[in-house]
Amino acid sequence: MADIFDVVVIGAGPGGYEAAIRAAQLGFKTACVDDWSRADGKPAPGGTCTNVGCIPSKALLQSSENFEEVGHAFAEHGIGVTGVTMDVAKMMARKAKVVAQNNDGILYLFRKNKITFFHGIGSFAGKDGDGWKISVAGGAPAEISAVNVIVATGSKPRALPGVAFDNVRVLDNDGALSIAAVPKRLGVVGAGVIGLEMGSVWRRLGAEVTMLEALPSLLPTVDTTIAKEAQKLFTKQGLVIHTGVKISDVKVGASDVAVTYADANGNVQTATFDNLIVSIGRVPFTGGLNAEAVGLKLDDRGFVTVDDDCRTNLPNVWAIGDVVRGPMLAHKAEEEGVAVAERIAGQKPHVDFNTVPWVIYTSPEIAWVGETEQQLKARGVDFRAGSFPFNANGRARAIGDTRGLVKMLADRNTDRILGVHMIGPMVSELIAEGAVAMEFGASSEDIARICHAHPTLSEAVKEAALAVDGRTLNL
Ligand SMILES: Cc1cc2nc3c(=O)[nH]c(=O)nc-3n(C[C@H](O)[C@H](O)[C@H](O)COP(=O)(O)OP(=O)(O)OC[C@H]3O[C@@H](n4cnc5c(N)ncnc54)[C@H](O)[C@@H]3O)c2cc1C
């Protein structure tokens, strides 16, 4: 007789594993099925985020940032360093260790919360009364039953039409995070979040990086003030960014990749690279689920169709994270996972996409929450804007990184904060204040009246709030 679980989560990415933990906390008998394996075949829960996404990319960003700092920023502090070298294999080994620590951490959390973990591919095997039969295929095949199923199967990289990833010359995110030696010429197709982060890693380590972006401007979803500043700073760093390009041909050779494209003026160009990272977005992943057999509805782009509460068309089947509509972000997946577990328990949680923060971990970092100036204008909202540059912030000067600014947008009539946009040092951490403020419906005056420690980068947030009312103190 098959084991019967109250909740079975398929996928142990950030959405799935947190859904499982919350379900277990709420007293449900919970299982989680995930097929990701380490090189030695052992389970590697954590999904894209832990294995080939957020965590390894941040590990490499830190290593490459340290390398660049030693070479370029230490001298100003009076620190003389000669003979700096970069051991890529060691950097990769450190990255692998960081990933493994996170895999192990999740396995520990499963044990701690008494969640049964199945390593293998989970698929629908038909109905079981009001619930569902789930088959697990893999090293230890199993048949289990679930009263509720949470589909959290994530996403996979989108390839250029007709150009398959080989992860030798044409790299997806996995390949981009595992290049064995710094390429001399690196091409990046798609200057979005992942492209910019990966391009930054390899540029810092010495690659000549050329980014080919189809859209007419860099980072069109980012507030234009911030996007313009980013373009200026990234170009100064040596990233070559071509926007408005149309790729017509990619020839993969034994030792290089030739990309032919029309530039923004319509002139045909060919660029040759040692490696080409393709980061043109991600597509939902439902392969292996046997979704068709049970009639799980997908939309025309392959996302599992869900309502605002993550309910699918099938009774007691929910779906969360990258496999459903909404921002493809780990923390969005986590919030949805927790919310679904609570809904199964009869609670009424709410996930507001407008207060989901976004971060790009370039140097300087870019972060934002809420609406951009261009979105507010398009909606005809009457707003006030205040901004404050880090070059007027004492802590930023002391750290030696005064690039960027904080910009706050607030409703002109109510003063309610509508968006907070940042580019600068550690803004991935500073953006939390913007998210908290927006969740609590704060006004810019609220932030302006809150005591911020001195000297901190967070004072720039307070000053931007003061600037909304035209009364910065330090500018
Ligand atoms: C290079 C890169 C950097 C990123 N950086 C960030 C960042 O800094 N911050 C951020 O918020 N987001 C980042 N992301 C996005 C983030 O990784 C995703 O939004 C997040 O992983 C989505 O979580 P998920 O739980 O929906 O799915 P996933 O993390 O994709 O996990 C899905 C899991 O389900 C498993 N699975 C699929 N089908 C089955 C099946 N049938 N049976 C069993 N298991 C199955 C998969 O193998 C996988 O383990 C990054 C992505 C990439 C590629």
Side-chain angles (χ1 to χ4, degrees):
M1 169 115 172
D3 248 348
I4 301 175
F5 292 92
D6 299 317
V7 178
V8 171
V9 185
I10 305 181
Y17 90 77
E18 291 211 358
I21 291 174
R22 187 69 188 119
Q25 282 176 345
L26 290 162
F28 294 119
K29 185 177 171 193
T30 304
C32 186
V33 188
D34 189 272
D35 62 343
W36 210 299
S37 302
R38 305 177 202 207
D40 61 5
K42 291 202 179 122
T48 302
C49 167
T50 301
N51 293 295
V52 291
C54 323
I55 300 300
S57 61
K58 268 79 250 179
L60 295 190
L61 279 158
Q62 190 61 49
S63 298
S64 58
E65 179 70 4
N66 289 351
F67 178 70
E68 186 156 83
E69 287 263 300
V70 174
H72 295 97
F74 276 26
E76 182 193 326
H77 294 264
I79 306 169
V81 188
T82 50
V84 179
T85 58
M86 184 70 218
D87 182 339
V88 174
K90 201 160 177 184
M91 174 180 78
M92 291 296 173
R94 174 185 176 274
K95 176 205 74 171
K97 196 171 151 197
V98 173
V99 168
Q101 282 167 345
N102 282 274
N103 297 141
D104 291 340
I106 296 166
L107 289 169
Y108 159 77
L109 290 171
F110 282 163
R111 287 194 299 276
K112 181 183 163 208
N113 288 283
K114 304 196 172 27
I115 295 162
T116 308
F117 176 68
F118 293 93
H119 186 210
I121 298 172
S123 59
F124 285 98
K127 287 231 54 167
D128 187 5
D130 286 343
W132 298 91
K133 282 192 207 132
I134 303 291
S135 294
V136 182
E143 295 292 324
I144 53 178
S145 283
V147 180
N148 294 279
V149 180
I150 303 176
V151 175
T153 49
S155 61
K156 61 175 188 184
R158 182 199 303 276
L160 277 171
V163 189
F165 293 113
D166 59 13
N167 278 341
V168 179
R169 296 285 148 218
V170 182
L171 314 175
D172 61 13
N173 52 299
D174 194 0
L177 290 162
S178 314
I179 305 176
V182 180
K184 189 168 170 341
R185 303 155 305 171
L186 177 67
V188 182
V189 181
V193 178
I194 295 172
L196 281 169
E197 291 186 4
M198 293 299 90
S200 295
V201 165
W202 295 104
R203 182 207 54 78
R204 291 172 194 163
L205 298 179
E208 290 162 18
V209 177
T210 304
M211 314 210 53
L212 302 172
E213 169 58 55
L215 294 169
S217 62
L218 184 70
L219 300 172
T221 58
V222 175
D223 187 276
T224 38
T225 314
I226 306 294
K228 277 189 193 140
E229 187 70 10
Q231 174 131 27
K232 206 172 72 194
L233 291 168
F234 296 156
T235 306
K236 203 168 145 203
Q237 288 169 3
L239 277 182
V240 178
I241 304 171
H242 297 301
T243 52
V245 310
K246 198 163 184 299
I247 293 176
S248 53
D249 187 43
V250 176
K251 276 206 174 50
V252 184
S255 58
D256 57 21
V257 188
V259 182
T260 305
Y261 61 93
D263 65 19
N265 301 319
N267 298 322
V268 175
Q269 313 274 359
T270 298
T272 305
F273 306 110
D274 302 307
N275 297 100
L276 184 72
I277 296 174
V278 177
S279 49
I280 54 171
R282 297 181 62 81
V283 289
F285 181 70
T286 51
L289 266 182
N290 202 19
E292 332 64 62
V294 285
L296 179 65
K297 198 168 159 209
L298 310 184
D299 70 14
D300 50 6
R301 291 185 302 157
F303 288 98
V304 177
T305 306
V306 287
D307 66 9
D308 288 349
D309 288 344
C310 294
R311 280 189 188 83
T312 71
N313 65 312
L314 301 178
N316 302 331
V317 178
W318 311 73
I320 59 160
D322 277 12
V323 80
V324 302
R325 83 283 172 269
M328 281 189 166
L329 293 170
H331 41 287
K332 173 266 195 183
E334 291 168 3
E335 295 302 320
E336 285 185 332
V338 167
V340 163
E342 292 177 349
R343 277 180 203 122
I344 292 171
Q347 299 181 8
K348 305 236 172 310
H350 175 63
V351 179
D352 179 2
F353 287 171
N354 191 43
T355 54
V356 170
W358 292 77
V359 178
I360 310 178
Y361 296 81
T362 41
S363 175
E365 295 176 341
I366 297 169
W368 72 99
V369 60
E371 288 178 284
T372 60
E373 182 161 339
Q374 59 269 29
Q375 282 174 320
L376 293 179
K377 282 184 177 153
R379 279 208 302 121
V381 176
D382 196 7
F383 66 92
R384 292 193 297 173
S387 49
F388 190 81
F390 281 105
N391 65 17
N393 173 275
R395 184 69 189 279
R397 287 192 195 121
I399 291 171
D401 188 356
T402 54
R403 298 168 299 170
L405 69 141
V406 177
K407 173 173 170 181
M408 190 174 285
L409 303 168
D411 187 287
R412 183 178 298 279
N413 301 311
T414 65
D415 194 33
R416 188 179 177 130
I417 298 172
L418 302 173
V420 184
H421 305 272
M422 310 175 173
I423 178 167
M426 298 306 285
V427 297
S428 57
E429 301 293 336
L430 297 185
I431 199 61
E433 181 173 6
V436 171
M438 287 190 63
E439 273 291 344
F440 279 86
S443 62
S444 77
E445 186 185 351
D446 288 329
I447 299 298
R449 288 190 183 279
I450 289 170
C451 181
H452 288 63
H454 176 76
T456 60
L457 299 170
S458 72
E459 287 173 290
V461 181
K462 177 183 170 121
E463 290 278 3
L466 283 164
V468 171
D469 197 34
R471 55 190 188 94
T472 49
L473 294 165
N474 285 283
L475 193 68

